[in-house]
């Protein structure tokens, strides 16, 4: 006869569950034996003992996973990425399967990815102009937003030292674009190609023309969510050339310096900025809400989800800005 577990028994039971002298086979065998004993026995004391064992075992497993995940995050160089990988693993979204039904129908994906942005923007323009006598373009509001124009950006030439630093800062990856040159190969070749690559970058900055060949990319459809047979539930991932990443970083550094020097970006712009993050955006939002509630004010929020936001960027507006 098994007695009901009191506090002393519970302590001993937890010791059995977490005791390091027992290997996983022993613990598994003990749990299986206890499960079979409970299933084939109507004794209430045994059933209570089994339930208590399961409860303690569940808590031990949770604590072990929590400790493991904390170690993964603390030892990771990119804590945000490590956190999201854990979230995806727990929600079974870590590995996104690629297209299955449409994998042999490249035209299906290509036509959808090429047309969806134009369809969305046309629908927006139609809704904005419907019922209005005079429709004003977004550039009209943009030009009237600032009282004085900002100075034109000046793209200063780059140097071999800057180009070399950018190449070294690239993530070490084996994947490549259509040219089949990975960032790993680019890093290895840096001592031999930095000077000619720097020359080409300066010619691009001087002419204001981005090399056409570097605009090409390999597009891979990656499943997001929902019905896997619906092409709309896939998003395009572009595999860019390694050389284009060097060009982009050079231009990015100059654009960033221009916007910060002239105070062009608003303080509410948190994304894609140095020393800024989604954590700071969340903190500012929560702090504003709590401050308003403490002052007995009404709080309301409007949250907008922009469909295909990046694909629908208006190039005319972007160039005007």
């Amino acid at each position: 006869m098994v007695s009901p577990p009191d506090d002393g028994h519970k302590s001993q039971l937890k010791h059995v569950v977490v005791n390091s002298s027992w290997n996983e086979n022993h613990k598994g065998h003990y749990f299986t034996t206890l499960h079979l004993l409970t299933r084939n026995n109507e004794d209430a004391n045994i059933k209570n003992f089994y339930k208590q064992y399961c409860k303690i075992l569940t808590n031990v497993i949770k604590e072990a996973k929590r400790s493991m995940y904390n170690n993964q995050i603390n030892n990771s160089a990119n804590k945000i990425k490590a956190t999201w990988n854990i979230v995806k693993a727990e929600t079974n979204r870590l590995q996104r399967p690629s297209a299955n039904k449409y994998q042999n129908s490249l035209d299906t994906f290509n036509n959808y990815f090429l047309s969806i942005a134009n369809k969305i923007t046309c629908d927006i323009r139609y809704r904005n102009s419907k019922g209005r006598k005079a429709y004003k373009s977004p550039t009209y509001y943009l030009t009237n937003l600032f009282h004085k124009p900002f100075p034109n950006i000046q793209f200063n030439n780059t140097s071999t030292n800057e180009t070399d630093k950018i190449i070294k800062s690239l993530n070490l990856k084996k994947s490549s674009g259509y040219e089949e040159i990975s960032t790993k190969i680019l890093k290895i070749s840096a001592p031999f190609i930095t000077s000619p690559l720097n020359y080409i970058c300066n010619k691009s900055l001087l002419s204001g023309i981005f090399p056409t060949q570097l605009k090409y990319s390999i597009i891979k459809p990656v499943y997001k969510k929902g019905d896997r047979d619906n092409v709309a539930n896939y998003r395009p991932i572009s595999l860019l050339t390694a050389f284009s990443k060097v060009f982009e970083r050079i231009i990015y550094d100059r654009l960033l310096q221009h916007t910060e020097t002239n105070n062009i970006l608003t303080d509410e712009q948190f994304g894609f900025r140095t020393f800024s993050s989604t954590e700071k955006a969340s903190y500012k939002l929560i702090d504003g809400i709590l401050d308003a509630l403490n002052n007995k004010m009404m709080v309301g929020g409007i949250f907008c989800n922009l469909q295909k936001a990046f694909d629908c960027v208006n190039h005319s507006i972007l160039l005007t800005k």
Side-chain angles (χ1 to χ4, degrees), residues 172-187:
L172 193 63
K173 294 183 178 180
K174 294 182 179 180
S175 59
S176 63
Y178 77 94
E179 89 291 22
E180 298 184 349
I181 299 177
S182 64
T183 54
K184 182 178 181 179
I185 296 177
L186 186 62
K187 284 173 172 284

Side-chain angles (χ1 to χ4, degrees), residues 73-230:
I73 295 173
N74 292 332
N75 297 329
S76 174
N78 189 335
K79 292 180 171 52
I80 299 298
K81 184 177 180 179
T83 302
W84 276 111
N85 284 338
I86 292 172
V87 172
K88 291 175 182 178
E90 286 295 310
T91 56
N92 296 321
R93 294 187 296 127
L94 186 58
Q95 294 183 349
R96 294 179 179 273
S98 58
N100 45 25
K101 179 179 177 180
Y102 296 97
Q103 62 182 356
N104 296 320
S105 181
L106 301 180
D107 289 337
T108 303
F109 281 106
N110 188 52
N111 294 334
Y112 175 76
F113 292 149
L114 287 176
S115 62
I116 184 60
N118 184 59
K119 181 180 182 302
I120 293 173
T121 52
C122 288
D123 290 343
I124 294 174
R125 289 171 187 161
Y126 174 76
R127 288 196 298 267
N128 288 340
S129 61
K130 190 176 181 180
R132 296 184 182 180
K133 294 182 179 180
Y135 170 72
K136 296 180 179 179
S137 67
T139 53
Y140 170 83
Y141 299 100
L142 183 63
T143 53
N144 288 275
L145 180 62
F146 303 102
H147 298 292
K148 61 178 182 179
F150 293 107
N152 293 329
I153 186 171
Q154 299 293 328
F155 285 114
N156 299 323
N157 284 348
T158 182
S159 63
T160 54
N161 185 44
E162 180 185 11
T163 304
D164 184 62
K165 286 183 178 178
I166 291 175
I167 294 176
K168 291 179 179 179
S169 68
L170 296 176
N171 293 329
L172 193 63
K173 294 183 178 180
K174 294 182 179 180
S175 59
S176 63
Y178 77 94
E179 89 291 22
E180 298 184 349
I181 299 177
S182 64
T183 54
K184 182 178 181 179
I185 296 177
L186 186 62
K187 284 173 172 284
I188 296 174
S189 308
F192 311 100
I193 65 172
T194 297
S195 182
L197 183 59
N198 178 76
Y199 174 79
I200 298 174
C201 290
N202 282 329
K203 292 289 288 185
S204 176
L205 292 174
L206 182 64
S207 62
I209 299 175
F210 191 82
T212 302
Q213 296 296 327
L214 298 185
K215 296 179 182 179
Y216 297 150
S217 62
I218 297 176
I219 307 298
K220 289 193 173 183
V222 176
Y223 172 74
K224 289 175 62 179
K225 60 181 179 179
D227 183 7
R228 299 180 190 275
D229 294 335
N230 187 352

Side-chain angles (χ1 to χ4, degrees), residues 29-79:
H29 178 70
Y30 182 85
F31 178 78
T32 303
T33 303
L34 188 58
H35 171 71
L36 294 175
L37 180 63
T38 306
R39 189 177 64 178
N40 300 323
N41 200 310
E42 297 298 329
D43 193 311
N45 292 330
I46 295 179
K47 291 186 179 295
N48 289 335
F49 185 84
Y50 174 72
K51 289 180 180 178
Q52 192 65 37
Y53 183 91
C54 290
K55 186 181 296 184
I56 295 175
L57 180 61
T58 300
N59 291 334
V60 169
I61 293 174
K62 287 182 179 179
E63 186 60 33
K65 292 180 69 174
R66 185 182 295 111
S67 177
M68 180 187 68
Y69 288 148
N70 285 338
N71 289 334
Q72 287 183 6
I73 295 173
N74 292 332
N75 297 329
S76 174
N78 189 335
K79 292 180 171 52

Side-chain angles (χ1 to χ4, degrees), residues 267-280:
D267 292 337
E268 283 71 29
Q269 172 66 40
F270 290 94
F272 306 102
R273 298 183 71 179
T274 308
F275 306 116
S276 186
S277 62
T278 52
E279 289 91 340
K280 289 187 177 181

